[in-house]
Amino acid sequence: MTEQDPLESGKQSAAEEALSYIEDGMTIGLGSGSTVYWLLENLGKRVSKGLKVKGVPSSVKTEKLADKFGIPLTSFHDIQELDLAIDGADEVDDYLNLIKGGGGSLVREKIVIEASKHVIIIGDESKLVKGLGNRPLPIEVIRFGWEVTCRKITRVGAECSLRLEGSHPFISDNGNYILDCDFPTITHPASLHEQLTSLAGVVETGLFVNSADQVILGKENNIRFLERSK
């Protein structure tokens, strides 16, 4: 990180603030993404000084980073519920609806979030938008017949493209493809999510509705907090 990179500074500030919510003995859902990287690095330092926590990673990449930073891990084979989940997002609106999945881990992220008592989303200030849909919506689909699934999604109103990694299709941690779907501004994320998940071949969408309890957005010298209305 450099002083000339205010977005990266914001990510680090948000991650450091989120650390204050982690208590000794907690089991934590560990999200994915560039902001979560800072969380994992700093959490590892606290673990090395005696903090006792266990984490459930939401992606293979996060699992490897947690191992690198010395964060003990567990799984849903051994626990049923998480005390806290901390994750990033690609977009956040004023109602705390989210678009996630830029890294391709949306399915596992959603499972971890739904198993958590409390969910904190962290990011830099650029993640806050007036309406979702400024970036393409990731949709995980099974590989068989993905072309058919893509055409069905197009009829819903999106322009879709298969996510690539180099010259080959990107493969999710679950062995599926990701379609990046460019919708106009998404005004009704819950109903769009239901419409999309009703299509054969769709595994999950990157729309996270009623998922976040708090959002922490970092700016270079400031923190902005958003909370779900009770």
Side-chain angles (χ1 to χ4, degrees):
M1 185 185 69
T2 67
E3 292 182 2
Q4 289 74 35
D5 191 348
L7 291 183
E8 203 64 27
S9 176
K11 292 175 184 180
Q12 187 170 14
S13 296
E16 289 173 351
E17 181 65 31
L19 280 172
S20 66
Y21 292 85
I22 297 176
E23 299 176 1
D24 200 64
M26 277 187 166
T27 305
I28 306 160
L30 303 174
S32 306
S34 56
T35 308
V36 172
Y37 174 90
W38 292 111
L39 175 82
L40 297 173
E41 184 180 72
N42 287 286
L43 179 58
K45 293 175 182 176
R46 295 199 177 188
V47 168
S48 70
K49 294 178 181 178
L51 179 69
K52 290 180 171 54
V53 296
K54 289 184 179 180
V56 173
S58 64
S59 67
V60 172
K61 184 176 181 179
T62 295
E63 182 178 355
K64 291 178 179 178
L65 286 172
D67 183 64
K68 173 184 175 181
F69 294 130
I71 301 168
L73 297 178
T74 185
S75 72
F76 288 119
H77 177 75
D78 298 313
I79 55 102
Q80 299 297 317
E81 190 175 49
L82 302 170
D83 298 299
L84 175 67
I86 303 176
D87 205 345
D90 301 315
E91 291 186 354
V92 182
D93 71 12
D94 290 332
Y95 301 98
L96 275 61
N97 298 310
L98 317 170
I99 284 182
K100 292 175 51 56
S105 303
L106 58 151
V107 174
R108 296 191 186 192
E109 289 171 341
K110 195 164 284 191
I111 290 171
V112 167
I113 282 175
E114 291 186 357
S116 302
K117 296 177 185 176
H118 191 80
V119 177
I120 299 175
I121 299 299
I122 56 177
D124 63 80
E125 62 174 343
S126 72
K127 307 302 184 185
L128 186 62
V129 297
K130 289 298 181 184
L132 299 180
N134 293 283
R135 306 181 191 190
L137 172 67
I139 301 177
E140 185 159 335
V141 300
I142 66 169
R143 292 158 73 171
F144 176 80
W146 72 267
E147 301 93 339
V148 176
T149 308
C150 184
R151 285 195 290 271
K152 290 180 180 178
I153 296 172
T154 299
R155 294 189 197 113
V156 177
E159 294 183 9
C160 299
S161 60
L162 179 66
R163 184 177 298 184
L164 301 177
E165 192 167 41
S167 59
H168 300 284
F170 173 90
I171 306 296
S172 76
D173 289 344
N174 312 305
N176 299 313
Y177 286 164
I178 300 285
L179 298 177
D180 290 309
C181 303
D182 193 1
F183 285 88
T185 300
I186 299 171
T187 54
H188 301 289
S191 60
L192 178 60
H193 170 74
E194 290 179 7
Q195 188 176 10
L196 291 169
T197 52
S198 71
L199 301 176
V202 171
V203 177
E204 187 57 86
T205 83
L207 288 167
F208 285 60
V209 181
N210 297 322
S211 296
D213 296 298
Q214 287 177 276
V215 174
I216 301 173
L217 299 174
K219 198 174 179 179
E220 200 166 5
N221 296 305
N222 191 29
I223 296 287
R224 181 171 183 177
F225 297 90
L226 303 174
E227 293 194 8
R228 182 171 303 285
S229 301
K230 302 297 183 181

